[in-house]
Amino acid sequence: MEAKNVPHVRELLEGSPKNWGKWGKDDEVGSLNYLTSAEVLRGIATVKQGKTFTLQVRMGDPGGDPVWPGRQSAKRMNVMDRGHYLCGKGPRFPGQYEYADDVMFMYLQGSTQYDALGHVWYDDQIWNGYDADTTIGGLAKASVLPIGERGVVGRGILIDMARHRGKEVLGPGETFTHVNLLEAAAKQGVVIEKRDILIVRTGWIGSFYKREHAEFYKDFKEPGLTYSPELVQWFQDMEIPNLVTDTMANEVTVDPVSGVELPLHNALMRNLGVALTEIAQLDPLAEDCAKDGQWTFLYAAAPLKIVGGSGAPVNPIVIK
Amino acid sequence: MEAKNVPHVRELLEGSPKNWGKWGKDDEVGSLNYLTSAEVLRGIATVKQGKTFTLQVRMGDPGGDPVWPGRQSAKRMNVMDRGHYLCGKGPRFPGQYEYADDVMFMYLQGSTQYDALGHVWYDDQIWNGYDADTTIGGLAKASVLPIGERGVVGRGILIDMARHRGKEVLGPGETFTHVNLLEAAAKQGVVIEKRDILIVRTGWIGSFYKREHAEFYKDFKEPGLTYSPELVQWFQDMEIPNLVTDTMANEVTVDPVSGVELPLHNALMRNLGVALTEIAQLDPLAEDCAKDGQWTFLYAAAPLKIVGGSGAPVNPIVIK
Amino acid sequence: MEAKNVPHVRELLEGSPKNWGKWGKDDEVGSLNYLTSAEVLRGIATVKQGKTFTLQVRMGDPGGDPVWPGRQSAKRMNVMDRGHYLCGKGPRFPGQYEYADDVMFMYLQGSTQYDALGHVWYDDQIWNGYDADTTIGGLAKASVLPIGERGVVGRGILIDMARHRGKEVLGPGETFTHVNLLEAAAKQGVVIEKRDILIVRTGWIGSFYKREHAEFYKDFKEPGLTYSPELVQWFQDMEIPNLVTDTMANEVTVDPVSGVELPLHNALMRNLGVALTEIAQLDPLAEDCAKDGQWTFLYAAAPLKIVGGSGAPVNPIVIK
Amino acid sequence: MEAKNVPHVRELLEGSPKNWGKWGKDDEVGSLNYLTSAEVLRGIATVKQGKTFTLQVRMGDPGGDPVWPGRQSAKRMNVMDRGHYLCGKGPRFPGQYEYADDVMFMYLQGSTQYDALGHVWYDDQIWNGYDADTTIGGLAKASVLPIGERGVVGRGILIDMARHRGKEVLGPGETFTHVNLLEAAAKQGVVIEKRDILIVRTGWIGSFYKREHAEFYKDFKEPGLTYSPELVQWFQDMEIPNLVTDTMANEVTVDPVSGVELPLHNALMRNLGVALTEIAQLDPLAEDCAKDGQWTFLYAAAPLKIVGGSGAPVNPIVIK
């Protein structure tokens, strides 16, 4: 795939639509601007049953978390617990209560997470045209902080591609397009509406917990959406504010046509300002939707407000 | 306050109500069990305008985060950014995109956060009677994980004690009771209902950002709710699932009557199973509620699903 | 190896010699007490050429460090560098100088390192009979701190077992005994003297850098010294203060006779107080000794003085 | 001191000597090259008594370590100890031994430490003329790694400026020059020789442990050597390979004449290649030297071999 004839992502995306400036030159949240009060109320209107789901994967699992190769699982460590009191090391306060306390070392993109819009780029410019130099030492522009400040609330819709294809999990490198999403939606009996928060299940992250990790990572190639000008235009026309998937990168690892790696990060996030949410745990939600037939719901998520973060962990909530 | 006659918290809370076993011997989320589907729908019913607010404080602020003395501010560090590409150190992928990546070292209770029910205890037992030894090396029982798995969704109500007392911020060690909460609610024209998620503003955390940090921490004593048997009974009768405040400890630092430190952590959290959410940023929400007169709303929050965590950061969402 | 008939290490070491109390009930450095001023001068007397070697492996290598399975390589991260100045984020001081700064997250036993004498134990007692409860939350007794305070200086002797057996590196699980050490010494033309700091090369750590890491860790079993009562008695009679090897555990991973894992950690370190130094890089030193025929030298090492540490990284120095 | 008329360090050091290229264009250890085998043997020749000292300060002290304002103390955390076994969480191995294990998060310049030669610079060039861009994301040139690989062994000489001035500790901002060093040496009855490793005591770091930390850091200004062209020329003529002090920055914080901050870092380290060792604990050594009158000794130190490090902790050894 690193063959000489793989084009620069700039060439691949020549003429691809851009929303830079659409929400002002100081914008840092992009397509999340589509989520107006009206959209919040549209999300609220879907709630019928009072059921709730949370979409984060477990974090700091001693058995390892699913992380992009090269990153490490979060490591949590106690700095105070009952053991300290057993051996006389626990601090004593008036009233003699005891407590546990802990710290964590983590990759900010090492769990279910929102990408900052400035997380990925080309041609020295990130979302909205900010200079890529602003990423140095921490994102001064288009970090995850403004996304955390704003929050993401609207109507969510789940498209279960794995179920649509009759599989427990899509295969490594297996692709699908917006047309496939529409087919799956039709089969589910739902319509993807403008400004829906689009949640797509492949079964991929769930499979991490069902097999040997070494096997999961071997010849690592995720399934997912694949680039085409039509797909990008569809996202633009549909004004999709946020794409959520149960994969680490929201798209197939390498575009099988051009050989470019992760082109949708640039086409959708850098250029259109679509928020990307990765590594979501969608299996229980999908199971329930298949059972009750309700594939739309209120989606409410707010990543941690990490100053300068290229991303931040999040535990999204779905209310049906 | 460490005078000889400060009673053990066990003595102070003798006869105080307990919900251990109420939701089964395996329960790890306590009073959050009150938040049934009906409560979720009651929360949904409050939404009128489609306005949203997020309640986390900024995290990893180079200027320092508000943390309990002895803990440290989160420290975020880039491991990849445009600088690496400028000097030829950035990795090259097919298509030549570039990216930023970062890691963080943090106290799990070093930002807006949910306490695990097992975070604080006395008499060798945590919430629901689990052995305090289960906290060693990570909470095997009543960690923050089950709270993250469940999520917290219901009707939230904001009581602005600072506004009620005509102050920008309550003073160090200033106390108030459930009776004061009821008075403030009456003045706001709202009624605290059974199973409301109770959100109380003191102005304390907001003041961190408005003055010298050294001054903020000097003779550290937070304002807050103060212990009485009546107050505990009121929480029990009202079936309050979750108490959220803009202080670090949800209660006055030291009970001025008994001299016991943080007795409500044990009376409410250990014994009743009330979830505690600390260090919330409530100023913008309070400002808005004062303006539009809507003090109740949908509250949706889910802390990170950290395995064994004594707590976890959270960015709660309010929808009005 | 986890067969039912593997004895408890307590049974295996029944009657094995112990130096508890030999240097007083408050001792925390054990056999390092053998290194008196006379031994320091005996080490000095070996120096002929003014050649120096350092024995630590590289640390924080982006390609990974050799660590015991389950631990992680040290992770180093810049928090300031020229990039910050390029984009206007570097702080300015009078005179306008610039600087780089960095932090690291590491396992204390994740590089060339001294074990604290309290690092491993059985029967609820660590070195010198201290209660194993003192290890909780940090070693209050027999931590690496007193070793760091004291330092380790004496006559070192290198025994090159790999060379002795005509191999580049010993095989996985390959064992040798003190008798083999004596044979190798004889072939090298040197005599292991009482109180020598014993440095043994297997070629193992060097091999980490010469092959795929996955292959290095596969069916992980290190070569090394293997337990026998005679070997323990030999260490005792020879008053060996410190054993240094180019393996992660100073001994064969599992005793092939009893099936007990790492029995010498207990026989030598817990019971005799012998200091263990692991993951040393011995290849360049061995090469040089083979060339000039000088296998003895001044050895000077002092691990970091980490309060409560179960071990600490060290960069030992050899002077010939 | 940030007055407009503070010159750029480039102007202050105009015409100041440079050793760039002196040891080849690929050199990364600078004046440590002066430490030839002959110098090692000169150091060995000073050893008379077999006494040893270690010069690092304690690290990870729960009470806080002495660190430059803005950095944090090292934080050590257990990940395994006897507590885990008490509650059934400790892993079991054949033979049933138990163990303790820990991790640490630290500033690489947050304890006794060697600066990498590339740690500080001006005019876009670090030691030996390497481009300052090479510092981005980790020092690709003149990092602490080559210093760790080489080690530092030679004759050390202690000059006790505090004792010379009849003080327990020099005052904040108190300065001294090479002439004062010579005076102190004369009073001590020793001669600073060419290529001596120069160790200077001010009492400053020792005072950290004797007073309130808040007081120590208040209006932070260290005592130390102060810039003059003559002093720089003296270091150059004396071919001093390494300057070691018990302060955080090896020099007075601000040059009282020019107002430039830390000019010697550039004059001595960036330009001459002198290795700087900071935050050494010199009090016990000084006490002993005053007692036995032996102020010269073998100095042996090797910082951790941290790949790309701007510095690394070290526990230097002195042998008299």
Side-chain angles (χ1 to χ4, degrees), chain B residues 75 83 89 107 134 136-138, chain D residues 75 83-84 89 107 134 136-138:
Chain B
K75 178 93 193 157
K89 288 175 183 166
Y107 271 75
T134 57
I136 295 176
Chain D
K75 178 92 193 156
H84 293 69
K89 288 177 183 164
Y107 270 75
T134 57
I136 295 176

Side-chain angles (χ1 to χ4, degrees), chain A residues 32-257:
Chain A
L32 294 178
N33 284 294
Y34 290 132
L35 293 174
T36 59
S37 297
E39 297 309 322
V40 171
L41 294 173
R42 195 167 62 89
I44 292 286
T46 62
V47 179
K48 314 285 183 212
Q49 316 178 58
K51 278 187 204 167
T52 60
F53 295 86
T54 60
L55 305 187
Q56 196 194 11
V57 295
R58 290 194 305 273
M59 194 171 185
D61 194 315
D65 302 334
V67 291
W68 190 262
R71 294 195 184 116
Q72 293 172 348
S73 292
K75 178 95 193 155
R76 195 199 57 74
M77 298 147 286
N78 268 23
V79 293
M80 183 60 54
D81 57 33
R82 174 64 183 154
H84 294 70
Y85 289 94
L86 283 176
C87 67
K89 288 177 184 166
R92 287 293 171 192
F93 307 104
Q96 310 298 310
Y97 70 91
E98 303 181 357
Y99 75 109
D101 207 13
D102 41 11
V103 297
M104 194 161 70
F105 181 72
M106 57 179 292
Y107 271 76
L108 289 180
Q109 309 225 353
S111 183
T112 311
Q113 125 274 151
Y114 269 82
D115 279 1
L117 291 189
H119 170 49
V120 171
W121 68 88
Y122 62 93
D123 272 358
D124 308 348
Q125 283 181 296
I126 62 171
W127 161 251
N128 217 22
Y130 296 117
D131 191 325
D133 285 7
T134 56
T135 65
I136 295 176
L139 275 58
K141 294 291 177 183
S143 81
V144 80
L145 178 61
I147 297 179
E149 294 283 9
R150 191 191 191 290
V152 181
V153 181
R155 188 179 101 132
I157 184 164
L158 176 67
I159 304 299
D160 190 338
M161 283 306 300
R163 191 170 307 258
H164 175 59
R165 294 201 171 156
K167 298 177 170 181
E168 197 175 330
V169 52
L170 298 192
E174 183 173 346
T175 60
F176 50 90
T177 68
H178 61 299
V179 178
N180 302 130
L181 293 177
L182 294 171
E183 290 165 0
K187 207 195 284 177
Q188 291 175 194
V190 283
V191 174
I192 303 175
E193 298 182 1
K194 256 185 121 164
R195 304 194 169 185
D196 272 358
I197 293 163
L198 182 56
I199 304 171
V200 183
R201 177 176 176 270
T202 66
W204 186 253
I205 283 300
S207 79
F208 173 82
Y209 297 98
K210 295 176 191 149
R211 44 180 169 162
E212 286 295 314
H213 295 350
E215 191 202 329
F216 177 81
Y217 286 115
K218 198 168 178 234
D219 304 325
F220 188 74
K221 230 167 39 174
E222 292 194 310
L225 281 169
T226 192
Y227 171 76
S228 71
E230 294 75 22
L231 177 135
V232 176
Q233 192 58 48
W234 181 80
F235 268 83
Q236 176 73 327
D237 294 344
M238 293 299 290
E239 300 184 345
I240 301 296
N242 188 188
L243 173 64
V244 181
T245 70
D246 62 346
T247 59
M248 295 189 200
N250 279 163
E251 62 178 304
V252 69
T253 306
V254 178
D255 170 14
V257 177

Side-chain angles (χ1 to χ4, degrees), chain D residues 180-253:
Chain D
N180 302 129
L181 293 177
L182 294 171
E183 290 164 0
K187 207 196 284 179
Q188 291 175 195
V190 282
V191 175
I192 302 174
E193 298 182 0
K194 255 183 121 163
R195 302 193 171 187
D196 272 358
I197 293 165
L198 182 58
I199 304 170
V200 182
R201 178 177 175 269
T202 66
W204 186 252
I205 283 299
S207 79
F208 173 82
Y209 297 98
K210 293 176 195 150
R211 43 179 170 163
E212 286 295 314
H213 295 350
E215 189 202 332
F216 177 79
Y217 286 115
K218 198 166 177 235
D219 304 324
F220 188 74
K221 229 162 47 170
E222 292 194 311
L225 280 169
T226 192
Y227 171 77
S228 70
E230 294 73 23
L231 176 135
V232 177
Q233 193 57 48
W234 182 80
F235 268 84
Q236 177 72 326
D237 294 343
M238 292 300 290
E239 299 182 349
I240 301 295
N242 187 187
L243 172 65
V244 181
T245 70
D246 62 348
T247 60
M248 296 191 199
N250 278 163
E251 62 178 302
V252 68
T253 305

Side-chain angles (χ1 to χ4, degrees), chain B residues 170-231:
Chain B
L170 297 191
E174 181 172 348
T175 61
F176 51 91
T177 69
H178 60 298
V179 178
N180 302 131
L181 293 178
L182 294 171
E183 290 164 0
K187 206 195 287 180
Q188 290 176 194
V190 284
V191 174
I192 302 175
E193 298 182 0
K194 255 185 123 164
R195 303 195 171 185
D196 272 357
I197 293 163
L198 182 57
I199 304 170
V200 182
R201 177 176 175 270
T202 66
W204 186 253
I205 283 299
S207 80
F208 173 81
Y209 297 99
K210 294 176 193 148
R211 43 181 170 161
E212 286 295 313
H213 295 350
E215 191 203 329
F216 177 81
Y217 286 116
K218 197 164 181 238
D219 302 326
F220 188 74
K221 232 169 32 176
E222 290 195 311
L225 281 168
T226 191
Y227 170 77
S228 71
E230 295 73 23
L231 177 134

Side-chain angles (χ1 to χ4, degrees), chain A residues 75 83 89 107 134 136-138, chain C residues 75 83-84 89 107 134 136-138:
Chain A
K75 178 95 193 155
K89 288 177 184 166
Y107 271 76
T134 56
I136 295 176
Chain C
K75 178 93 191 156
H84 293 69
K89 288 177 185 166
Y107 271 76
T134 56
I136 295 176

